[in-house]
Amino acid sequence: MSTRQLTLALSKGRIFEETMPLLQAAGITVTENPETSRKLILPTNDADLRVIIVRASDVPTYVEYGAADFGVAGKDVLLEHGGEGLYQPIDLNIAKCRMSVAVPADFDYASAVRQGARLRVATKYTQIARQHFASKGVHVDLIKLYGSMELAPLVGLSDAIVDLVSTGSTLRANRLVEVERIMDISSRLVVNKAALKLKRERLQPILDAFAKASNP
Ligand code: PRT
Ligand code: MG
């Protein structure tokens, strides 16, 4: 493939939507809507730039192997994936949320921790959770889930969850309370290391426009 051709990996939903204004700032328009189109490769107004639609957690893999030259992924996804092989030049300040520990409203988390209880924690984010509880010296049994973590404590699968929170309404609707904020999360631009060298001329103006539009 020529050094002019670029492939950008995005996930549907909030990341796609919040990346559009940044692409716009670089003069790029995606000419098909991934929510209504079944296509996984979307054209843009630039014949040399295409967008591929992948699962949010698969973005780092496509970029690492060079199947996409660059992509947008949450800090949560990047920490779980491991950042090797990826260049992460820009915090795009989009898809913001936080990673938190939450428990049922009637569970006394603070005293359980004080008493050194062993906690069962359900999460999709096992790396982040393991690191967090280890740094606090809290013993946990991690239960890996792939979605709907909020359900786990309600049916006795776990004492606590580690999940992303933005408005807090999902927690509230399930009578859970946030007891610890682990870290703030936003989405980052990730670039394939080889592409950065071989396609710098093509990539740099887009990276510059993204940086300017996302960190004004
Ligand atoms: O949905 P899918 O399983 O395909 O993948 P995904 O959940 O990884 O993708 P997507 O598109 O839902 O999220 C992409 C990225 O958006 C994540 O990797 C985060 O970096 C970021 N982000 C920002 C969020 C949220 N806000 C968010 N609120 N990702 C998920 N949520 C979920 C959260 O897990 C919880 O279930 O929304 C619920 C809480 O929202 P509130 O508003 O009720 O607090
Ligand atoms: Mg989701």
Side-chain angles (χ1 to χ4, degrees), residues 4 15 35-37 66 75-77 84 89 109 136 139 170 184:
R4 291 210 53 79
I15 288 191
E35 300 299 338
T36 52
S37 171
K75 185 180 176 186
D76 50 312
V77 166
E84 318 86 50
Y109 176 77
K136 290 181 44 113
H139 294 288
T170 307
D184 288 329

Side-chain angles (χ1 to χ4, degrees), residues 76-91:
D76 50 312
V77 166
L78 293 169
L79 287 173
E80 292 295 319
H81 175 87
E84 318 86 50
L86 296 171
Y87 175 60
Q88 297 183 36
I90 313 169
D91 182 350

Side-chain angles (χ1 to χ4, degrees), residues 11-15 55-57 74-77 95-97 124-125 146 149-150 163-171 185-187:
S11 53
K12 269 204 268 199
R14 67 190 110 221
I15 288 191
R55 250 337 244 277
S57 45
K75 185 180 176 186
D76 50 312
V77 166
K96 286 186 178 185
C97 56
K124 179 172 159 185
Y125 308 98
Y146 293 89
M149 271 72 81
E150 295 89 355
D163 195 9
L164 297 172
V165 181
S166 56
T167 61
S169 57
T170 307
L171 292 183
I185 300 283
S186 57
S187 285

Side-chain angles (χ1 to χ4, degrees), residues 51-64:
V51 172
I52 60 171
I53 300 298
V54 304
R55 250 337 244 277
S57 45
D58 290 335
V59 166
T61 306
Y62 278 85
V63 175
E64 188 180 330

Side-chain angles (χ1 to χ4, degrees), residues 24-214:
Q24 206 63 256
I28 299 157
T29 319
V30 182
T31 47
E32 236 166 294
N33 178 356
E35 300 299 338
T36 52
S37 171
R38 287 176 190 276
K39 285 188 191 163
L40 297 174
I41 302 180
L42 304 177
T44 71
N45 64 330
D46 179 339
D48 286 329
L49 177 77
R50 61 184 186 169
V51 172
I52 60 171
I53 300 298
V54 304
R55 250 337 244 277
S57 45
D58 290 335
V59 166
T61 306
Y62 278 85
V63 175
E64 188 180 330
Y65 286 93
D69 300 296
F70 60 144
V72 176
K75 185 180 176 186
D76 50 312
V77 166
L78 293 169
L79 287 173
E80 292 295 319
H81 175 87
E84 318 86 50
L86 296 171
Y87 175 60
Q88 297 183 36
I90 313 169
D91 182 350
L92 298 173
N93 283 312
I94 60 167
K96 286 186 178 185
C97 56
R98 55 195 186 269
M99 184 73 71
S100 294
V101 182
V103 299
D106 59 6
F107 180 77
D108 190 346
Y109 176 77
S111 79
V113 166
R114 223 180 305 113
Q115 289 162 19
R118 197 171 180 93
L119 293 176
R120 278 183 309 155
V121 179
T123 188
K124 179 172 159 185
Y125 308 98
T126 49
Q127 301 299 329
I128 295 170
R130 182 172 295 111
Q131 164 72 38
H132 172 70
F133 291 110
S135 75
K136 290 181 44 113
V138 174
H139 294 288
V140 292
D141 289 319
L142 294 176
I143 300 169
K144 170 82 183 187
L145 290 178
Y146 293 89
S148 301
M149 271 72 81
E150 295 89 355
L151 178 63
L154 306 183
V155 294
L157 179 61
S158 71
D159 303 306
I161 61 170
V162 167
D163 195 9
L164 297 172
V165 181
S166 56
T167 61
S169 57
T170 307
L171 292 183
R172 270 191 301 280
N174 293 291
R175 292 168 166 276
L176 298 171
V177 291
E178 199 176 354
V179 286
E180 258 164 17
R181 188 188 267 237
I182 301 176
M183 65 178 75
D184 288 329
I185 300 283
S186 57
S187 285
R188 317 292 160 109
L189 188 72
V190 291
V191 185
N192 174 271
K193 283 185 175 164
L196 187 67
K197 294 199 187 105
L198 296 169
K199 302 187 179 183
R200 181 130 224 170
E201 213 177 309
R202 269 293 273 147
L203 276 167
Q204 197 62 52
I206 301 174
L207 303 195
D208 291 346
F210 273 35
K212 198 165 161 225
S214 59

